[in-house]
Amino acid sequence: IRTIDALQGLIHDIQKADLIAVDLETTSIKALEADIVGISFSLAAHSGYYIPVEFPEKELAVDLNLDLILEHLKPELENLDNFFCGQNIKYDALVLSRYGIKLNNIAFDTMVAEYLIHPEKNSYKLDYLSLDYLNYKMVPIEDLIGSGLHQKTMAEVPLEYISYYAAEDADVTYQLSAILKERLKKNNLSKPYNEIELPLI
């Protein structure tokens, strides 16, 4: 999503969606220090959108900046008629809160759901959940930013790569939400999830 028209088209689709997967790409894993690099959404399986904010090819013709993006998205993110899901969505909600946005109607968190279903696991990373439930190998973050001393930030990743990575995150989260919701139901865990875990998020 690079233009105001494309953003308005996405907002129109968000308004019609039953469930909206949202995921932020940021400069830090610490929510209270992180700056937004981009925002991804998925409204249906096998599809996703990415709105870039910071990227190396910034000299390309892009109509959008963060203030304009958030000005348009804020009413949708705070709309009580919209239902949002995410992977560790508390992080995204905390980051957005620093920009004056309250992410209302958090309906599902794939990480928390998997923790309830499999409390014995030692990792609840999206990559692992994707392999376990979708038999799908996601792009490792190390492919984008490297590791160790030469690790770069997400803002330095070329648009072509970060847009695929980010949209994939949102899409996989969207797909997993439906699967894990059924697993919770099957394991008689819907009540503790909805009455304890979700309010805690």
Side-chain angles (χ1 to χ4, degrees):
I1 303 288
R2 292 195 200 181
T3 66
I4 191 69
D5 286 346
L7 180 60
Q8 287 170 340
L10 168 59
I11 287 169
H12 178 71
D13 291 343
I14 285 173
Q15 290 167 346
K16 295 187 297 179
D18 294 327
L19 184 66
I20 303 145
V22 60
D23 183 62
L24 301 182
E25 298 306 328
T26 63
T27 55
S28 172
I29 58 171
K30 296 177 181 175
L32 300 181
E33 297 176 8
D35 295 321
I36 296 174
V37 172
I39 309 169
S40 60
F41 292 96
S42 179
L43 313 175
H46 311 295
S47 68
Y49 302 82
Y50 183 61
I51 309 169
V53 175
E54 296 296 335
F55 52 99
E57 311 95 325
K58 206 69 187 282
E59 71 278 2
L60 294 173
V62 176
D63 293 350
L64 303 172
N65 59 53
L66 183 59
D67 289 340
L68 189 60
I69 291 164
L70 294 182
E71 179 188 327
H72 280 78
L73 287 178
K74 180 179 167 78
E76 303 312 319
L77 294 170
E78 295 186 341
N79 190 335
L80 292 171
D81 291 329
N82 292 332
F83 294 90
F84 295 95
C85 65
Q87 164 81 0
N88 189 23
I89 199 167
K90 180 173 74 173
Y91 170 85
D92 304 274
L94 277 170
V95 174
L96 287 169
S97 74
R98 292 178 45 238
Y99 292 87
I101 294 173
K102 178 170 171 51
L103 185 62
N104 283 322
N105 271 8
I106 293 173
F108 205 79
D109 188 313
T110 49
M111 187 180 79
V112 174
E114 179 67 356
Y115 169 74
L116 267 188
I117 296 164
H118 291 291
E120 76 283 357
K121 284 188 172 180
N122 59 12
S123 177
Y124 299 92
K125 284 179 64 177
L126 191 62
D127 309 54
Y128 299 149
L129 302 190
S130 180
L131 280 172
D132 288 348
Y133 291 102
L134 304 173
N135 196 29
Y136 176 74
K137 188 178 190 318
M138 299 179 70
V139 175
I141 192 168
E142 292 79 15
D143 285 8
L144 276 70
I145 62 173
S147 59
L149 291 174
H150 302 292
Q151 187 172 343
K152 54 189 177 184
T153 70
M154 291 301 267
E156 298 172 275
V157 177
L159 193 52
E160 177 188 355
Y161 300 113
I162 194 170
S163 59
Y164 183 89
Y165 172 87
E168 181 185 62
D169 269 6
D171 172 33
V172 167
T173 299
Y174 182 93
Q175 293 186 56
L176 286 170
S177 293
I179 294 169
L180 293 173
K181 192 170 185 178
E182 281 304 308
R183 292 293 174 101
L184 287 171
K185 193 175 174 182
K186 185 179 174 184
N187 289 286
N188 295 316
L189 292 168
S190 297
K191 189 172 180 178
Y193 177 81
N194 290 315
E195 294 183 7
I196 301 170
E197 299 298 342
L198 206 51
L200 280 173
I201 295 170

